[in-house]
Amino acid sequence: MRFLSLVGPAAAEFIFLFQLLVQSTQGVAFDPVPPPNLNLDQLGRVALTGNFDSISLYNYKQQTESAFSTNGSQALIAQLPNGDFAPAATADAYIKSMCPFVMSNGDFAGVIVGGNFTSLGGIEAQGVAMYDPNASQITPLPGLLGQVSVVYCDQDTNTVYVGGNFKGANSTNAVAWVGRTGWANLPFAGFNGPVDSITKAPNGNIIFGGTFSGLGNTTAPQKKDQQVINIASANISSGATSDRTGFNDPKNIICETGGQDGPGSTWLLKDKTPGFWRADMNFGYQPTKLRLWNTRQDGRGTKTFRFTAFPIAGIMNLTYTDPVTNEKTPCDASGARCPLSNNASLPFQDFEFVNNVGMSAFQLDISDWYGDGGGLNGIELFQDDIYAYAVPDLNEPTCANIRFGSNSTPTGPWTTAPSGKSQSQYLTADLSPQDVKSATASVVFMPNIRQKGNYSVTVYTPGCLQDDSCSRRGIANVTGIFTEGSALIPAQQIYQTNNFDKYDQIYSGPVDVNSDSFRATVTLTPFTQQGDGITLVAQRVRFAPTNYTGGLNGIFEFDPTEGTTLTDFSKSDFDQAGMNLQSGAIVTSLKVAGGITYVGGNFTDTDGKFRNIFSITDGNAVSLPNGGLNDPVAALEVFGDLLYIGGNFTNTVNGTVSGLNNFAAYDTVGQSWVALGSGVRGRVNTIVPLELNVTENQPETCITVNGDFDQLEAFGSSPAVPVQGFGVWVPFRQNWLQNLNLNTRTITGQLSSTTNLTGSSPLLAGTISSQGVPGARDAVSLTSDPLQLNSLGIQIQPQQVTPTMHKRAVNGQNVTGAVTGLFHKSGKLNVTVIGGHFTATASNGSTINNLAFINGTGAISGIGSGLDDDSVFLALNTQADILYAGGTISGNLDNTAVNGLILYDLAQDNFASPQPPALGGDNVAVNAITTRPKSTQVYVAGNFDTAGSLGCPSVCMFDRGQWSQPGSGLSGSVAALTWQGNDKLLAGGNISVNGNATTLANYNTKESQWTPLDDAATAVPGPVTALTAANDDVSQFWVAGQSTNGSAFLLKYDGSKFQTIGNSGMLGDQTKIQGLSMLYLNDDHDKNDMVPQGMTLLITGSLNLPNFGTASAALFDGTTFAPFILATSGNRPGSLSQLFSEREVNFKSSGGRIARGLVVLIGLACALGTIFLLVVAGILLERYRRKAAGYQPAPTSYPDKTANMGRIPPEHLFGRLGQPASTPLL
């Protein structure tokens, strides 16, 4: 195979790297995270609640909580060993295609990645790069300008074929990377239109598909030097300028084309002195011709000069036509000095550039002169490139009196931005959502088209890194009109989130010359369907003339064994098949299955027998059944015997097969159409296979469908499912994954491509979000042996949040999803309770609102009717078998209004009767409920003023069916409660005691008195929203909340003062802490004053951890935060509200001593043990003493009992029993 090599310095550098990277193994490297070694044994069952639809432990450094991108950027995606998906390298735009570059000897070089990106993995790469999955290394493949749509790796020839909308050396839209030598022109120099698909035919030839009608590339225009480069807007300077008034301004010679000498029209140097004239522009250009008007003022003039380009500081080689010989002559090669004639019959002199070199400034150095000194009377610079700039001053100068000079019309709040690292200045506009919706900002580009012909039209977008606008960039809507009497071309959306300068071809075809009745235009506006405000930019549009051979129609067959290209296209079955289509055919996808090549796109054969899809086999183009499909095909994918097809169709051409809505299949063996459900509602753009564990540890190949659809259509017993452009078809189950009640992970986003890697899971491209607990939403269980999250078996759907709920909920509380929970185990009762704002389905099929019960067998149930659907449960607790459930609750039970709190009898599975008198006040909310130790008293806290008719603000006590006010003087909103022993209650929130604002207060039950905690009002920077004990008697505790400046805080109270957690940057902006819990570890961490060595602090909420990103839970060991749990909700990070457990944590007291209760028990056990040992020792000692004294055991048998009895008559023993006692004798 013979290609023309394009190796330059950049490519040569890559070749060296390439040789180092070649390897025999493939696979993506993953970095595991050390496990936290939690020990949850003493807590019994443990669970977490929150607002998420997918959740995972943080096991690998590649994991993030980032949502999938909607700004046009995508990434290379790897599947982690735990099944989650993580970005391996992020691009700043779309990734269109990938293939593994495996050499013929089996060596693996890397994955070739193509798209319209300008950076990949943070490395500048224009449209194509190589990714090494073993080292996670990106290597750019420099040399192409534009967009790559498809890459095809051919192992047999060590070649990567690349197609798209680009220019590379002497090729356009198609080029090859060959082995270790780098880029090479294909013999046919590319195509005159974009290439969208490449495949290898069964005969070994390479087939190209796209929107082209001939071979060829961009060409020089017939009319050269068409565009005048604007010098008028440049910064003009000079050296050794004359002091003569009227001749000392170097700007005098700009736009002076009349050749008249005189003050204000001529620039002169000092007498007999060399000097220079310089122009610094605000844009880049490649000049092709310099035109100079020499001065003859007072016999003066320039005799020799040279041209220096900046910023390269290179002296340019020029040629000119000798006015004497009329021959083309190079300037002096030794110093590149050019002569300038002073012949009065020669009004100006032209100098052509030998090389096309980019520059943004130039300098004319005048070294010799006529008469007393040098000077000039006029200057113009020309280029072949046809540009229209958004900044009007950069277009052709109006002073040049060009009839249809390049121009632009900006409308809206545009400002001019410096060029930075880009090619030119550009316009930028910060648009509000209303500005975007109404498209108030626009730029109309008007090029100077002097030659009718075929052009490639490219829109240039400056990179966002240089102006730090990446986070605000959005989507531009671009359209245009190019021929007289034609309509606007269909609008195209261009994502402007590129890190570096990007080029998007929007049109390739005929363009008419400018006239009084017509002018070609390109219009850029914001895409109106963006919801947020954006930064819109506009820079320039290029019109490049194209040349081609003709004779093709969307398909071309290339024989890589031939060094030349045959122009008799009729000898190729593929070329002939394309020519048998109506002109203007668009081929979007090519696939080979079973020795047959399938062609999909937007076309109709000349006989009208088929449309949009056909096959080529045995040299013949064959229609698929029923005339093909009735509208365009965008994607083809082969799996097994089925050819999966996506596009914008609804049926076959003759309309005889139902259920083919934009996604269908063709049985390549049975040669028949196969409906996949009933398809989707909207266009399908890509079809990407994906391996998923549909059932536990049973991976299956699924087919992902990606595009602009919003629903999976209903079919059979399966209902319609709303989606956001993403669906997963499970071939072996003949249904959508979204319809199957399977414990599998949740995936959202879109995929654009995939490629297989030997010994590893496939590498994906796109933008998806997925975390790893199958079937888990808003509530999960947590175990420590092994450490894992598990579904609780309940499918929760969060309810929409209304403005009313936001007002009623306390600051920092989550008001959607699962907010709180508890485990209740008493007698035969074993119930898990989940509360929040959600819906779920009970085991009997009924709908559950906001409060759910899971019994010991896994059966799911809810509460009866009576509560308003917008109620939110924020706090739960039990007294005996009565559940106290509080929140922003309202409704009517047994004709009695309830507000803020309800009681539910878990044993009877019904509302308790009677209910407590309703709480009252503005925006009533119960945020915390606790039971006083060793009593039946239940303390309820939140935002309320009364309980029934009783004035009882902020905290109220319920006992034996009635409310009581604990103390007086407390007001405000209480968010958290905890007991400090049996008689002291600690309350945190946004509160006041006797009119004094504070964040923490104590209640003494014996004295019935509230007192603010010392220093809390000044040391705690805002309302407390979370509170947890830090030792056994809660003399030490942790508090968290939101400070008055909006930042999150986390403090520890050590018994006498508050301690901060270190520097203020340990928690980033937007952090919201909702829960705190102290947990035990299996292994001690380093000793510090904040957290005991054997414990860790769990923080839940929505956390922004510097140098990591967002997490829903983190562990704090006293010095550092470690991400622990990642969660997502829809297309955004999720959050966790709190951890709840079956039993409370038991603390070890400081100094290693055991908690007081345990000390008593252990002491009692030790005392009993000591007594037992003393008794045993005493018995043993007594036995030893008796034995030493000669004691013998008493006889246990008496053989002569009768004889012994005869010795003492009975009457001697018993005869005196009845007689009076006598005085004993002494």
Side-chain angles (χ1 to χ4, degrees), residues 553-705:
N553 193 18
I555 305 176
F556 176 67
E557 180 181 11
F558 170 62
D559 185 350
T561 64
E562 297 289 338
T564 59
T565 302
L566 297 176
T567 56
D568 185 359
F569 302 133
S570 63
K571 294 183 178 180
S572 166
D573 296 331
F574 289 90
D575 298 350
Q576 187 63 47
M579 288 184 284
N580 288 337
L581 303 175
Q582 295 179 12
S583 62
I586 301 173
V587 174
T588 56
S589 189
L590 299 164
K591 287 292 178 181
V592 176
I596 300 174
T597 303
Y598 293 88
V599 182
N602 185 5
F603 48 74
T604 303
D605 80 314
T606 53
D607 297 328
K609 294 181 179 179
F610 61 82
R611 291 169 56 187
N612 303 316
I613 189 168
F614 68 95
S615 64
I616 300 176
T617 179
D618 298 329
N620 298 311
V622 180
S623 170
L624 268 60
N626 310 102
L629 295 167
N630 62 353
D631 273 307
V633 169
L636 301 175
E637 187 61 48
V638 176
F639 178 63
D641 295 332
L642 293 184
L643 176 70
Y644 290 88
I645 307 165
N648 201 31
F649 49 82
T650 58
N651 209 315
T652 58
V653 170
N654 62 17
T656 57
V657 182
S658 62
L660 308 183
N661 293 302
N662 307 302
F663 178 56
Y666 176 72
D667 187 338
T668 60
V669 176
Q671 299 185 6
S672 60
W673 293 104
V674 178
L676 304 175
S678 191
V680 300
R681 189 173 68 184
R683 176 185 171 89
V684 171
N685 297 326
T686 61
I687 300 173
V688 180
L690 175 66
E691 281 197 357
L692 289 176
N693 287 332
V694 176
T695 54
E696 189 174 357
N697 299 322
Q698 294 294 323
E700 293 183 23
T701 298
C702 302
I703 306 298
T704 70
V705 186

Side-chain angles (χ1 to χ4, degrees), residues 904-972:
Y904 193 84
D905 192 328
L906 296 174
Q908 300 299 320
D909 193 18
N910 204 349
F911 290 106
S913 182
Q915 290 288 314
L919 300 174
D922 295 333
N923 302 321
V924 169
V926 170
N927 302 314
I929 304 173
T930 184
T931 301
R932 181 183 177 186
K934 300 180 180 180
S935 79
T936 59
Q937 297 175 355
V938 177
Y939 284 72
V940 177
N943 184 53
F944 49 84
D945 297 323
T946 61
S949 60
L950 175 69
C952 196
S954 307
V955 176
C956 209
M957 189 266 287
F958 189 78
D959 188 23
R960 294 181 176 85
Q962 64 182 14
W963 290 108
S964 299
Q965 181 183 7
S968 62
L970 182 70
S971 61

Side-chain angles (χ1 to χ4, degrees), residues 82-124:
N82 65 358
D84 287 351
F85 296 92
T90 301
D92 62 352
Y94 283 120
I95 296 173
K96 299 278 190 176
S97 180
M98 300 186 295
C99 66
F101 191 14
V102 180
M103 312 298 285
S104 58
N105 63 1
D107 287 342
F108 173 65
V111 176
I112 305 298
V113 184
N116 69 340
F117 49 81
T118 66
S119 71
L120 182 64
I123 305 297
E124 184 173 3

